[in-house]
Structure formats: structure tokens, C-alpha cells
Amino acid sequence: MKIVLFGPPGAGKGTQAEHISKMYGLPHISTGAVLRKNIEEKTPIGLVALEYIERGKLAPDDVMMQVLESELEKCENGFLLDGFPRTLAQAEALDKITSVDVVLNIEIDSEEVVDRILNRMVCPKCGKNYNKKIHSVEICDICGSALTVRKDDNEEVVRERLHVYENQTKPVTEHYRLQNKLAHIDGRGSIEDVFERIRKALYDYDKK
Ligand code: AMP
């Protein structure tokens, strides 16, 4: 199955991706995580991306296509895309490479997003997300690394990321609605509640 996880920053895409990936045996491609790895390794892509990420802006489409294509090369039987596409140009470019089956659009209001992001801790090694209000841990329970706060998870940058989402990313839902691939997921409630809604949407998709 080829799945796109869509939604604003802080909607829970990364957390849900972890569960979906496990249950359906799909490789999880987080373009944000790939960029962060490139930044850490100081690659040419990382140097370009840093400028944009720190300001809450989107990295250029041509850079993102390079990132995506090299990730897709590793996927033989489906994938779970998290954070891609974020512009109409990216969605159209993706259509030329492959046809996605379903786009799970996780919906949540912006004040909840800000609250979640400002309470987010992340494992710099495996990328697992934690919420300070739910988890009182400082060490990742998967790989044992010390948790950190993402540089772009501060209020000013979060507000900019939300603005970018509304203007550049949200309109992409129309592209997939017209292809009859869009599934709406209510992103409120616990991780388990949201995952249950996703399972149901994927089950309904499978029956089509
Ligand atoms: P994320 O981890 O998905 O929240 O992404 C973090 C940041 O990486 C975003 O705010 C963008 O600056 C950049 N980024 C990730 N994916 C994309 C994409 N598909 N297009 C443009 N920029 C991206």
C-alpha cells in the first residue's frame, strides 16, 4: 500500500506513522527527519535545508524531489509518506513517479497544534516523538538516547509553519479530493483513538 499522511505540523503524523508502519509493515519516510539527518551530517542538502527549517519555511521543491526519489528507491512494496507532499508542485511530481493509494488527512485545530508542539520532545536518533504532558521521560524508550527539543519547535517558528501550512500545503488536499483518495481523520483525542480511526479508514479503503 502507498499511503500519504497529511496534516498540519503537530497533528501527530510522526506518532501515527510509527504505529501504521508497524501494523502494515510499511517503510516510514519522514522528509523532515531525512532533512534533519542531512543537517546533522552537514551534507549539501542539509546546508540548504537548515536555512528554511529554522525559519519555518518550506525547503525548495527541487531539493525535496531529490530527497524523495532517493528514499523511494529503498521501497519495493509500498511506503508511508509523512511530510510529503507539502506543495501542489510536489504532489504533481509524485504523481509522475507513482500513484498513491490513499491520503490520510489528520485534522486538528491550530491552538491544539501549538500546545502539542510546544510540549514536544524528540529522540534525535530514532525520531520518536514524546509529549511532556503525557510522558515524563528524558530518555528514548526505543534507543536510549537523551531526548531533545527540535530547534523549529518554538512559538514564533510554529506560528510561521502553521501559516505556511494554511497557504501552501492545505490546498493540496483538493488535488487528492479530486482523485477520490482523501480520507478525513479526526486528530483529536488519544494516540490510540486516532490510530483506531486510521485503521478504520484503511479497512474501508481496502474494501473499495
Ligand atoms: P517535519 O519534520 O515534517 O515537521 O518537517 C520539518 C521541516 O522540514 C518543515 O518545516 C520544512 O521546513 C522541512 N520539510 C519537510 N518536508 C518538506 C517538504 N515536503 N517540502 C518542503 N519542506 C519540507
Side-chain angles (χ1 to χ4, degrees):
M1 207 161 14
K2 296 173 182 170
I3 303 175
V4 168
L5 260 180
F6 205 88
K13 298 189 294 294
T15 303
Q16 294 300 331
E18 211 187 294
H19 291 278
I20 300 169
S21 168
K22 245 187 233 158
M23 176 161 280
Y24 297 88
L26 292 170
H28 170 202
I29 304 174
S30 157
T31 45
V34 176
L35 293 181
R36 283 186 286 279
K37 188 158 183 279
N38 274 274
I39 290 173
E40 204 186 303
E41 292 169 357
K42 299 191 169 61
T43 68
I45 284 183
L47 291 178
V48 176
L50 180 64
E51 244 184 82
Y52 294 89
I53 290 189
E54 281 192 343
R55 290 184 294 131
K57 307 279 186 200
L58 295 183
D61 288 334
D62 59 331
V63 171
M64 294 318 301
M65 288 319 296
Q66 267 187 60
V67 166
L68 183 79
E69 281 174 23
S70 80
E71 290 301 309
L72 287 185
E73 273 172 20
K74 302 173 203 161
C75 305
E76 281 181 3
N77 296 310
F79 51 75
L80 174 61
L81 274 181
D82 157 11
F84 190 102
R86 265 176 152 107
T87 63
L88 188 58
Q90 291 179 13
E92 288 170 351
L94 179 61
D95 283 350
K96 290 193 183 131
I97 302 174
T98 188
S99 171
V100 303
D101 297 309
V102 60
V103 176
L104 302 169
N105 184 24
I106 306 183
E107 293 173 297
I108 185 122
D109 73 58
S110 30
E111 284 319 303
E112 170 122 21
V113 158
V114 173
D115 183 70
R116 283 191 190 180
I117 293 187
L118 297 183
N119 281 294
R120 178 156 75 182
M121 301 279 286
V122 60
C123 172
K125 198 159 170 222
C126 72
K128 180 167 177 185
N129 289 319
Y130 294 81
N131 184 306
K132 281 187 234 168
K133 285 186 175 168
I134 306 172
H135 314 98
S136 55
V137 290
E138 286 172 10
I139 299 291
C140 176
D141 56 17
I142 293 185
C143 67
S145 305
L147 303 181
T148 54
V149 173
R150 273 170 51 173
K151 266 195 176 160
D152 55 346
D153 280 355
N154 63 71
E155 185 149 5
E156 192 191 339
V157 176
V158 169
R159 300 251 175 231
E160 177 58 23
R161 284 159 66 198
L162 280 171
H163 181 73
V164 165
Y165 175 77
E166 284 296 322
N167 289 295
Q168 292 178 262
T169 306
K170 202 173 170 184
V172 179
T173 52
E174 183 60 10
H175 177 80
Y176 290 116
R177 192 188 63 77
L178 292 171
Q179 293 183 0
N180 205 17
K181 290 179 177 171
L182 198 63
H184 293 282
I185 307 291
D186 180 351
R188 292 171 302 175
S190 69
I191 294 172
E192 293 74 21
D193 290 344
V194 179
F195 185 54
E196 202 41 48
R197 293 175 200 134
I198 289 177
R199 271 180 49 165
K200 185 169 179 310
L202 292 176
Y203 177 77
D204 291 346
Y205 161 79
D206 230 22
K207 282 198 309 188
K208 265 194 204 169

